Amino acid sequence: MQRSVVRAMPWVFVLIWATGFVVARLAMPHAPPFKFLAVRFALSVVCYAVWIVLARAAWPMRREQWLHLAVTGALMQAGYLGGVWSAVKAGIGAGTVALLVGLQPVLTALWVTAMSSRAGAESGHGVSGRQWLGLLLGLAGLALVVWPKMGTGEVTLANLTMAIVALLGITIGTLYQKRFVAPCDVRSASAVQMLAGLVICLPLAFLLEPEAMDWHRDLVLAMAWSVGVLTLGGSSLLYLLIQRGEATAVTSLLYLVPPCTAVMAWLLFGEIFTLPMVLGMALTVVGVAIVVRDRSAAASASAASA
């Protein structure tokens, strides 16, 4: 039973993660991004604090651990979510931003492979021809989706930059957590990460966003889903998976997020789903799959020869 739960965790995480882009699309007509995120992080910290007290969960003992958790919170909460929600607020579609951020597995695989090779390990492989092929296919598919939207005004330099900030935030944050954050209780670790996100988003909300939050039904629903499912469920699962060494399993499934999000956005919001978009998305999915599987095969061969 426990083994089945562990195997299902990456799939559950990906399904939860895919809804995040749709929730952003639902909420952003009624709130500025950093104000929404500041409220979300504040409520999340309160929920985690209650959970920690009731469960008597342990807080990190070392000051360095608090610092590392704060860095990952700044990158994976404020950086990633701030970038995604700002991009959606600036007019980019949920499916498009999901596709842009969906290149994270490519960056992760290429970075890990390059560092392994640079370290001179016997198992190290340079960036292989298959990986470069996958990267080029992914970029070609991305261009096929994004380029036509540049002319329509959906994709602009501003919201494209925000999406890239989100991509870098989740990529660097995942690598940083895997490298520096020691195993600790997921509830206290998540509370520290959410607090770091709040510390960054709150001043940005006051300084950059004069717009007030309109507590429309959609905004309330989005907030409840964001705190109850995406934060307490999705973020906690991500932390657990990285801590358990399941980052590769998550990464290999993340390329399913963009098409899932695009279908959700089409059904819920009527976002345009044209044939070039389908072809571009398919190219990107294939490209990411090639990169990730090539990296996983290299890792398996390395483990077998060790």
Side-chain angles (χ1 to χ4, degrees), residues 96-247:
T96 305
V97 73
L99 185 63
L100 287 162
V101 178
L103 287 179
Q104 184 260 342
V106 174
L107 297 186
T108 301
L110 291 178
W111 174 264
V112 172
T113 302
M115 289 300 100
S116 175
S117 178
R118 184 177 179 182
E122 291 183 7
S123 60
H125 296 266
V127 180
S128 69
R130 281 174 56 87
Q131 287 181 314
W132 283 118
L133 173 62
L135 177 60
L136 291 175
L137 284 175
L139 292 176
L142 192 63
L144 191 60
V145 173
V146 172
W147 186 256
K149 297 187 176 186
M150 296 287 286
T152 65
E154 178 188 331
V155 178
T156 64
L157 180 60
N159 58 30
L160 182 60
T161 300
M162 296 169 193
I164 292 173
V165 168
L167 170 61
L168 294 176
I170 189 66
T171 303
I172 298 172
T174 300
L175 293 169
Y176 187 95
Q177 179 173 320
K178 186 64 179 173
R179 173 67 177 83
F180 293 107
V181 177
C184 62
D185 191 277
V186 63
R187 293 157 293 194
S188 56
S190 297
V192 175
Q193 290 179 327
M194 297 299 153
L195 186 59
L198 175 61
V199 168
I200 292 177
C201 288
L202 191 59
L204 290 176
F206 279 108
L207 292 173
L208 303 178
E209 297 176 340
E211 177 187 349
M213 296 181 68
D214 171 23
W215 287 99
H216 186 274
R217 178 190 59 190
D218 290 347
L219 180 61
V220 174
L221 177 61
M223 184 67 72
W225 185 269
S226 294
V227 174
V229 179
L230 289 169
T231 295
L232 298 182
S235 295
S236 297
L237 266 176
L238 177 60
Y239 179 88
L240 278 174
L241 289 166
I242 295 174
Q243 181 174 284
R244 292 175 60 90
E246 301 288 342

Side-chain angles (χ1 to χ4, degrees), residues 1-149:
M1 178 65 177
Q2 185 177 3
R3 184 176 298 178
S4 299
V5 172
V6 171
R7 288 178 178 174
M9 282 170 60
W11 292 93
V12 173
F13 165 75
V14 168
L15 289 175
I16 292 174
W17 206 252
T19 66
F21 303 96
V22 176
V23 169
R25 177 72 169 77
L26 183 68
M28 283 302 87
H30 309 289
F34 290 110
K35 280 186 180 175
F36 182 96
L37 290 174
V39 174
R40 170 180 171 176
F41 293 149
L43 292 175
S44 299
V45 169
V46 171
C47 290
Y48 275 121
V50 172
W51 193 0
I52 289 166
V53 170
L54 293 177
R56 297 182 180 179
W59 289 94
M61 298 297 294
R62 297 171 55 192
R63 183 168 56 184
E64 292 81 1
Q65 182 80 328
W66 283 76
L67 177 61
H68 291 320
L69 287 170
V71 172
T72 59
L75 290 168
M76 300 173 70
Q77 303 301 329
Y80 168 69
L81 291 176
V84 168
W85 288 63
S86 297
V88 172
K89 182 68 172 180
I92 199 169
T96 305
V97 73
L99 185 63
L100 287 162
V101 178
L103 287 179
Q104 184 260 342
V106 174
L107 297 186
T108 301
L110 291 178
W111 174 264
V112 172
T113 302
M115 289 300 100
S116 175
S117 178
R118 184 177 179 182
E122 291 183 7
S123 60
H125 296 266
V127 180
S128 69
R130 281 174 56 87
Q131 287 181 314
W132 283 118
L133 173 62
L135 177 60
L136 291 175
L137 284 175
L139 292 176
L142 192 63
L144 191 60
V145 173
V146 172
W147 186 256
K149 297 187 176 186

